[in-house]
């Protein structure tokens, strides 16, 4: 039995064993007992995870893949979760325990998977896996680059991001039209923010939605005081600010808005 890749689920099955093993080895497997693989398909990556000292769980929305995994990986059968990761409360499985996340992520939902990971960062010390190359690079990019944006800043506020290696299309069935990229996110030792998280998300999104404009223009809707808007940082464009500068700017915006009330 083999599983047919389904276009609507964004499935591209990796069929290169050496790359699957290399992806499995991107996690440290230290400091947590559980690993969650998202979208295992036919288990090319799963088999290498099962050799690790941690307990592997998989979450898969495709019932055909679920059946395949249960038949071919009997020692995994009771840890196959047939759910949509984005809609499911995975804490029903982990009950507050830490777990790492790994996968060959469907391109069409990969950024949503990252945002859900950020929401659950208290439980996820490590995250790795394969994305469309352009998305993986964007997540890991530093300030000063055209690729640096919302995803880069919000991910790197909590995690250290490393772009690890590129994977060509021909090692997949069916081959995607683009290169893939593998990255690793390692949660920062101190990942608490000195500003309000919801406000940081608002500031970063507002800034990059008009990325060609200076912050003075893109953040107009915040109704900031003239004295704050005169600061030289507001003459910059969003891609010129580091993650730390965005956090400091958010603190200053919060204080400015409080002082006006």
């Amino acid at each position: 039995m083999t599983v047919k890749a389904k276009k609507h689920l964004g499935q591209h099955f990796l069929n290169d064993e050496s790359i699957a093993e290399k992806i499995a080895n991107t996690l440290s497997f230290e400091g947590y007992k559980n690993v969650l693989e998202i979208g295992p398909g036919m288990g090319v990556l799963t088999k290498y995870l099962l050799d690790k000292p941690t307990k592997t769980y998989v979450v898969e929305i495709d019932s055909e893949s679920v059946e395949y995994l249960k038949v071919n990986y009997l020692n995994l059968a009771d840890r196959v979760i047939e759910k949509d990761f984005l809609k499911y409360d995975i804490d029903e499985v982990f009950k507050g325990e830490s777990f790492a996340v790994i996968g060959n992520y469907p391109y069409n939902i990969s950024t949503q998977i990252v945002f859900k990971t950020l929401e659950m960062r208290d439980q996820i010390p490590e995250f790795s896996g394969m994305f469309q190359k352009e998305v993986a690079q964007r997540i890991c990019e530093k300030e000063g680059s055209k690729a640096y944006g919302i995803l880069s800043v919000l991910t790197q506020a909590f995690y250290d991001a490393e772009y690890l290696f590129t994977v060509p299309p021909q090692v997949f069935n069916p081959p995607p039209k683009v290169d893939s990229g593998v990255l690793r996110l390692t949660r920062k030792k101190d990942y608490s923010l000195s500003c309000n998280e919801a406000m940081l998300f608002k500031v970063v999104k507002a800034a990059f939605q008009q990325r060609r404009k200076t912050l003075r223009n893109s953040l107009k809707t915040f109704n900031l005081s003239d004295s704050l808007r005169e600061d030289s940082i507001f003459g910059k464009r969003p891609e010129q600010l580091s993650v730390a500068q965005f956090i400091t700017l958010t603190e200053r915006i919060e204080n400015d808005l409080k002082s006006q009330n």
Side-chain angles (χ1 to χ4, degrees):
M1 174 193 174
T2 55
V3 178
K4 191 170 182 288
K6 294 162 194 67
K7 200 173 180 181
H8 72 282
L9 293 176
Q11 288 176 328
H12 295 275
F13 295 133
L14 179 67
N15 53 24
D16 185 307
E17 293 290 337
S18 63
I19 292 173
E21 187 173 13
K22 202 173 166 187
I23 293 169
N25 290 334
T26 57
L27 292 176
S28 72
F29 302 97
E30 290 171 8
Y32 48 86
K33 294 174 187 167
N34 305 302
V35 172
L36 177 69
E37 183 189 355
I38 297 173
M42 287 186 284
V44 65
L45 172 60
T46 318
K47 68 165 83 71
Y48 295 103
L49 297 173
L50 290 170
D51 287 340
K52 303 296 181 186
T54 44
K55 191 182 260 191
T56 299
Y57 293 79
V58 299
V59 58
E60 174 60 73
I61 197 173
D62 176 26
S63 56
E64 199 184 357
S65 291
V66 167
E67 189 187 339
Y68 180 92
L69 292 164
K70 285 183 175 178
V71 168
N72 290 277
Y73 296 92
L74 296 175
N75 56 342
L76 180 73
D78 61 344
R79 298 194 305 280
V80 178
I81 306 155
E82 190 174 354
K83 297 284 183 186
D84 178 344
F85 172 72
L86 295 176
K87 293 176 183 167
Y88 179 57
D89 178 8
I90 200 72
D91 205 33
E92 284 185 18
V93 176
F94 295 115
K95 313 271 190 258
E97 281 191 11
S98 291
F99 61 98
V101 173
I102 194 168
N104 300 325
Y105 305 112
Y107 291 161
N108 53 347
I109 58 164
S110 61
T111 55
Q112 291 163 272
I113 289 170
V114 173
F115 280 120
K116 183 157 180 183
T117 297
L118 298 184
E119 284 171 24
M120 299 192 71
R121 61 187 175 274
D122 288 341
Q123 281 176 266
I124 304 176
E126 245 184 340
F127 173 105
S128 69
M130 185 145 53
F131 290 76
Q132 188 173 328
K133 182 184 179 183
E134 187 187 304
V135 177
Q137 286 176 322
R138 200 183 308 151
I139 292 167
C140 300
E141 200 57 84
K142 297 294 181 210
E143 70 273 16
S145 150
K146 280 183 180 166
Y148 180 72
I150 294 170
L151 205 51
S152 330
V153 176
L154 298 181
T155 304
Q156 292 173 44
F158 308 107
Y159 289 87
D160 294 320
E162 302 166 83
Y163 185 91
L164 300 175
F165 56 91
T166 301
V167 180
Q170 61 267 25
V171 298
F172 294 92
N173 180 29
K177 293 186 170 71
V178 291
D179 281 345
S180 301
V182 175
L183 61 74
R184 174 171 54 228
L185 305 179
T186 309
R187 193 176 60 198
K188 294 182 174 183
K189 280 194 173 72
D190 178 10
Y191 58 95
S192 59
L193 295 179
S194 53
C195 66
N196 175 279
E197 181 192 331
M199 182 60 90
L200 176 68
F201 278 52
K202 275 184 193 167
V203 169
V204 171
K205 283 177 179 174
F208 281 104
Q209 270 160 2
Q210 303 183 68
R211 66 180 300 142
R212 292 185 179 177
K213 293 186 175 179
T214 63
L215 296 172
R216 194 167 286 121
N217 287 315
S218 59
L219 301 182
K220 251 183 190 164
T221 52
F222 286 85
N223 296 319
L224 302 171
S225 66
D226 290 342
S227 60
L228 181 59
R229 282 164 51 79
E230 280 161 18
D231 190 292
S232 60
I233 199 166
F234 283 87
K236 292 186 173 187
R237 291 193 175 93
E239 70 267 18
Q240 294 176 281
L241 268 65
S242 68
V243 175
Q245 284 175 307
F246 264 112
I247 291 169
T248 304
L249 176 63
T250 303
E251 278 185 88
R252 293 178 66 193
I253 288 173
E254 286 179 288
N255 291 334
D256 186 70
L257 294 173
K258 276 178 198 163
S259 68
Q260 290 183 52
N261 289 337

